[in-house]
Amino acid sequence: MSRRVAVLTGGVGGAKLVSGLAQILPSADIVVIVNTGDDFRHLGLYVSPDVDTLLYTLSGKANRTQGWGREGESWAFMAALRELGGEDWFALGDGDLALHVLRSMHLARGGALTGITRDFATRFGIGCTILPMSDDPVATCLETDEGMLEFQRYFVERRCVPEVRRIVFRGADVAKPAPGVTAAIADADAILIAPSNPYLSVDPILAIPGIGDALISSSAPVIAVSPIIGGKAVKGPTTKLMREMEIVVDNASIAAHYAGLIDGLLIDDGDDAPEGLAVMRTATLMRSVDDRARVAQAALALADDIARG
Ligand code: FO1
């Protein structure tokens, strides 16, 4: 049976979930809608970290230990940059750099992020459709005790140390969903929200007018995979961020955050279930390739249960 799945995602966690889906469904049936709130211009280049994590993971090129960039990368550019006194807080590998140069050229000539992402995916032999959430600029910024910081300044340069008070998605209110985004949601038989950071990676997608409404009006079950495992978020600043924003770190908070949007939550075996929401459990930590397929399968099984009523 053909089953079309749309996935809303940030970087690593979502890329693993999508690679799990690609093991059990035809790639052509998977559309990935990716956060671009982390995108920024650096050294004159347009960098799109979450889109690139998807491209590298789905083409088998990702650096698994690092969680970003390419495996087997060389760093001659960074060495030369450092020698010349250039800004080196954000590391661009030599192979990775090719992507940023070509994308920046494409954008400078009036092209859109969607088009160049499709070209890269084709070049890398990726069968899924990867759609940036928008072709319009949206910048995730954090109001912190050190002032307003753009996402990469907070995440990479300041290593998530500043205390976060508020998160804003500059430009989201006037951004349009990229071509194909709302249609992919409307046409899907199941919609998944990846175990990405709800506040930093999924909220920018939901902040774009039209995307939340498309989820609400879709007849397909919407399933979120919880980023909480053992009362903590698996990766990145989620736990710290939730505490700073005075949000209890548990599945009830994740369910409350997505209230009105999701029909079910996939949670880890060891965690408490929120009340009033369909839940399925599995071991949600995705260490191996088999883990990825198992988590994807469980998310689809929960969607099937809900669709059957
Ligand atoms: N993350 C780091 O922690 N340090 C880096 O120097 C770094 C460079 C980098 C270059 C290209 C790219 O696509 C991603 C990169 N990341 C780096 C990861 C990125 O900042 C974050 O993982 C995402 O934005 C969060 O999803």
Side-chain angles (χ1 to χ4, degrees):
M1 185 186 92
S2 159
R3 182 160 46 171
R4 292 155 302 176
V5 179
V7 187
L8 274 58
T9 181
V12 190
K16 288 181 180 175
L17 178 70
V18 174
S19 85
L21 282 172
Q23 292 178 58
I24 57 180
L25 294 176
S27 294
D29 291 344
I30 305 169
V31 179
V32 194
I33 299 161
V34 189
N35 169 42
T36 58
D38 298 8
D39 293 15
F40 74 135
R41 284 202 175 266
H42 184 59
L43 305 171
L45 300 172
Y46 187 95
V47 183
S48 189
D50 287 353
V51 167
D52 292 352
T53 295
L54 262 299
L55 287 168
Y56 291 147
T57 304
L58 297 177
S59 61
K61 291 178 174 38
N63 181 320
R64 286 204 188 191
T65 359
Q66 209 169 236
W68 50 271
R70 299 172 70 131
E71 191 61 57
E73 186 64 282
S74 62
W75 298 94
F77 168 74
M78 286 307 290
L81 183 79
R82 229 166 263 131
E83 189 182 19
L84 292 166
E87 269 191 66
D88 66 352
W89 60 273
F90 195 80
L92 297 176
D94 298 337
D96 192 31
L97 195 58
L99 221 64
H100 310 312
V101 168
L102 290 177
R103 177 168 38 220
S104 306
M105 274 173 52
H106 176 85
L107 296 177
R109 289 174 182 160
L113 199 55
T114 311
I116 191 69
T117 304
R118 187 178 50 235
D119 292 353
F120 289 154
T122 305
R123 282 270 170 190
F124 282 172
I126 296 170
C128 313
T129 303
I130 303 176
L131 297 176
M133 63 187 196
S134 179
D135 282 333
D136 301 324
V138 176
T140 298
C141 297
L142 298 101
E143 191 183 299
T144 74
D145 55 348
E146 296 182 8
M148 197 59 113
L149 296 174
E150 285 191 355
F151 179 83
Q152 299 297 344
R153 293 276 173 188
Y154 162 78
F155 192 84
V156 175
E157 191 178 36
R158 293 293 299 119
R159 302 267 154 223
C160 307
V161 169
E163 199 170 303
V164 176
R165 297 181 180 141
R166 198 168 63 98
I167 305 168
V168 291
F169 308 113
R170 279 194 189 139
D173 55 333
V174 290
K176 290 178 295 303
V181 165
T182 50
I185 293 171
D187 294 345
D189 301 304
I191 300 161
L192 306 185
I193 299 182
S196 304
N197 185 314
Y199 314 94
L200 290 174
S201 301
V202 180
D203 276 1
I205 307 178
L206 300 174
I208 296 177
I211 297 189
D213 287 345
L215 287 186
I216 292 166
S217 51
S218 160
S219 55
V222 182
I223 307 298
V225 180
S226 175
I228 306 287
I229 300 182
K232 281 199 298 247
V234 198
K235 218 193 139 274
T238 313
T239 305
K240 176 176 179 284
L241 194 80
M242 287 176 82
R243 292 202 175 119
E244 286 165 359
M245 292 179 20
E246 297 177 358
I247 302 168
V248 180
V249 185
D250 65 8
N251 282 321
S253 298
I254 303 298
H257 186 73
Y258 291 134
L261 288 178
I262 62 170
D263 304 297
L265 187 67
L266 180 67
I267 65 171
D268 188 64
D269 283 327
D271 282 315
D272 290 338
E275 286 181 12
L277 185 66
V279 157
M280 191 173 278
R281 292 173 184 278
T282 191
T284 52
L285 189 62
M286 292 181 275
R287 279 207 191 94
S288 68
V289 168
D290 288 350
D291 289 340
R292 298 175 182 190
R294 185 178 35 73
V295 173
Q297 190 78 65
L300 293 182
L302 178 53
D304 284 348
D305 281 1
I306 291 167
R308 275 195 296 265

